Structure formats: C-alpha cells, structure tokens
Amino acid sequence: PADALARSMSCGLLLSNGMQPEQTFQLTMACDGPIRSVVSISDALGQVRGYVGNPGLADMHISEAIGKGTVQIVKMHPDWPTPYNGVTSIEHGDIDRDVGIYLAESEQRACALAASAKFNGILCTSAGGYVVEQLPGCTDETSAIVEQNLAKLLDMNGSEATLPAGILHDGGTPLDICSTVLDGLGMKPLQYVSPKQVCGCSEERLFRAVRLLPKVEIDKILEDEEQIEARCHFCGTVYRMSPEDVKEKFMNAQGDPALDDDFKN
C-alpha cells in the first residue's frame, strides 16, 4: 500500500505543477484488487494528501494489489461550474504507466512519465518521479536527444529500484534528473516547489458534514454511540463530538453548509 500511495502522490504532484494555485488535481485508481482504491489530491503549491482503501494489506507486488479497474482524474477550480473528469482503463497496475496511458488516450498528450519509491522495511527512503512532455513543434532531433538522455537515467538509477527512486536514494535531486533528461538542450530551471503533505481536515469540517445529515439520523447516532466519531482517510486523525458538543455547535451554527466554499473543497 505504501508503494502505491507514494507513486500516486508523486504522479499527482507532477501533473498538478503548473496549474493555477486554486486548482486541485485528484488521481483515483478505482480498482478490483485487494488494495481496493488509491487516491491522491494535489495542487500547484506542492501540497498533497492521499490514502489507500486497504492500508492493512500485506506486502505484495503493486500490480497484484491494484488489479484491474479505471484511472480517474478530476481537475477542479472554485470558479468552474463543473470539474473536468477523465477516465481510462488500468492496463498495468503500477500507477505511473497507467497515468501515462491516461495522458495519451484522454488528453492526447505525448509524455514520458515515471514515478516510484524505495523502502527499507516500512520506511520510505525515497520517492519521486518525472514527466517529460513533447509539445507541438518539437523537432525529431530534440526528441532523439531526450530519448538518449532517458536511457542515461536508467544507467544512473541502477537495477535495485525502479526509476527514478534509485537516483533519489543515492542522493540525486529532481534538478539532477531534469538536467540529465534535458542535457544538450539548454535547460533553465524556471521554478522550485517543495512538496509537503497537507491535510485540511478539522473538527469544523466534521461538523459541516454532520449538519448535512437529517436530524433523525444525528439523534440515532448519538443514541446508539453516545458520540459522533469520524476518522480522516488522509491523515488518520480521529475526531469525536459528545451530545453536548453537537448541541452547542448547532446553537451557534450559521448559514447553509452546502453552500460553504470551504466545505466543498
């Protein structure tokens, strides 16, 4: 599960880079394998979060854990009336190649994309990826140079880890990868982004969700459980509200939670 999550988050960070700051990019591997699902949400600021449907799954090859299903992409901006949605089939089950197929089939983008992670036991020692897109007007000569440079990456990465986790594990940086891929093409770095895991969960968001429930359902939960409890899928934080907390919050609540911009993000 950790390998799948690392690959998904890496792909999300790569493909959300360059978007508007308000946009979000959601990648979902909706699959029939024992992992059940892999979800990541990222933005252009390098903020990312994610989860897998079955985090307690024992170690197994990522393609076996994922199985078959669909790659689902959702791009959202607060000003858009509806989000952009794209769907393609899962062909390999290793996430990065399937995302590459999505880019080719759904968005007609010619890209070389790779994402991987390396672990020491349960500790992730490196994770990352790269995406190289061929834009209109790219010459055959330029394409040939990039292909040769991508072959160099394989040699740099070694055979003990999938590309490019080996490079990163040995001290290589994203800039090193970019410099190698674009060697001979006059590369100039335009932007540096430091990715970070950010989860927007809070007790306030939990209460917004509670407000959308029918009162009879809220009363039934409090009667049966003597509290309202929820666990964040992304960071694992558990929130609990007693009947007194719920009553006080309803007394102070204002507005319609279904129309709250923060609640919809």
Side-chain angles (χ1 to χ4, degrees):
D3 187 22
L5 183 59
R7 293 184 185 217
S8 175
M9 294 171 74
S10 295
C11 287
L13 286 166
L14 289 169
L15 298 179
S16 61
N17 186 30
M19 297 194 315
Q20 299 177 37
E22 299 85 3
Q23 283 183 261
T24 57
F25 181 95
Q26 178 170 321
L27 166 60
T28 301
M29 305 293 289
C31 52
D32 63 2
I35 202 170
R36 297 204 292 266
S37 65
V38 186
V39 179
S40 64
I41 301 176
S42 54
D43 61 28
L45 301 177
Q47 300 179 134
V48 65
R49 61 188 186 276
Y51 68 89
V52 298
N54 183 10
L57 182 66
D59 287 341
M60 65 173 59
H61 193 274
I62 185 171
S63 61
E64 296 179 7
I66 289 178
K68 296 298 182 181
T70 56
V71 179
Q72 303 176 3
I73 302 294
V74 179
K75 301 177 185 179
M76 186 61 189
H77 189 287
D79 295 336
W80 294 354
T82 56
Y84 168 87
N85 294 276
V87 180
T88 55
S89 297
I90 294 175
E91 299 292 340
H92 299 285
D94 53 8
I95 299 182
D96 55 339
R97 283 195 293 175
D98 290 307
V99 172
I101 291 173
Y102 160 81
L103 292 173
E105 293 184 355
S106 184
E107 299 189 10
Q108 292 74 54
R109 296 167 60 183
C111 299
L113 184 150
S116 64
K118 185 175 176 61
F119 292 83
N120 182 6
I122 63 173
L123 176 64
C124 179
T125 56
S126 64
Y130 64 82
V131 59
V132 186
E133 181 172 1
Q134 181 177 337
L135 299 177
C138 177
T139 65
D140 293 340
E141 180 184 2
T142 298
S143 297
I145 292 175
V146 172
E147 289 178 5
Q148 294 172 4
N149 291 340
L150 288 173
K152 296 178 184 177
L153 279 185
L154 288 173
D155 294 335
M156 293 170 57
N157 192 73
S159 60
E160 295 186 1
T162 50
L163 188 68
I167 296 173
L168 298 171
H169 180 266
D170 291 338
T173 66
L175 182 58
D176 294 332
I177 295 174
C178 292
S179 299
T180 301
V181 172
L182 300 178
D183 184 31
L185 298 175
M187 185 203 75
K188 294 181 180 179
L190 300 178
Q191 183 185 34
Y192 292 89
V193 177
S194 297
K196 49 189 173 296
Q197 183 174 342
V198 176
C199 185
C201 71
S202 65
E203 186 175 288
E204 183 60 28
R205 289 198 173 210
L206 168 60
F207 181 62
R208 288 186 177 123
V210 171
R211 291 179 63 192
L212 294 172
L213 297 175
K215 185 177 185 302
V216 63
E217 187 171 339
I218 298 173
D219 292 339
K220 184 70 167 62
I221 294 173
L222 291 174
E223 179 182 349
D224 294 344
E225 307 295 335
E226 298 183 347
Q227 65 178 354
I228 291 178
E229 179 178 303
R231 180 181 183 274
C232 177
H233 284 297
F234 293 100
C235 69
T237 301
V238 177
Y239 295 94
R240 299 180 179 87
M241 291 190 296
S242 66
E244 293 76 18
D245 294 332
V246 174
K247 181 178 180 180
E248 180 181 354
K249 287 181 178 294
F250 266 106
M251 291 178 59
N252 297 324
Q254 298 179 354
D256 185 347
L259 300 178
D260 190 314
D261 288 338
D262 189 39
F263 177 74
K264 292 189 293 184
N265 287 339

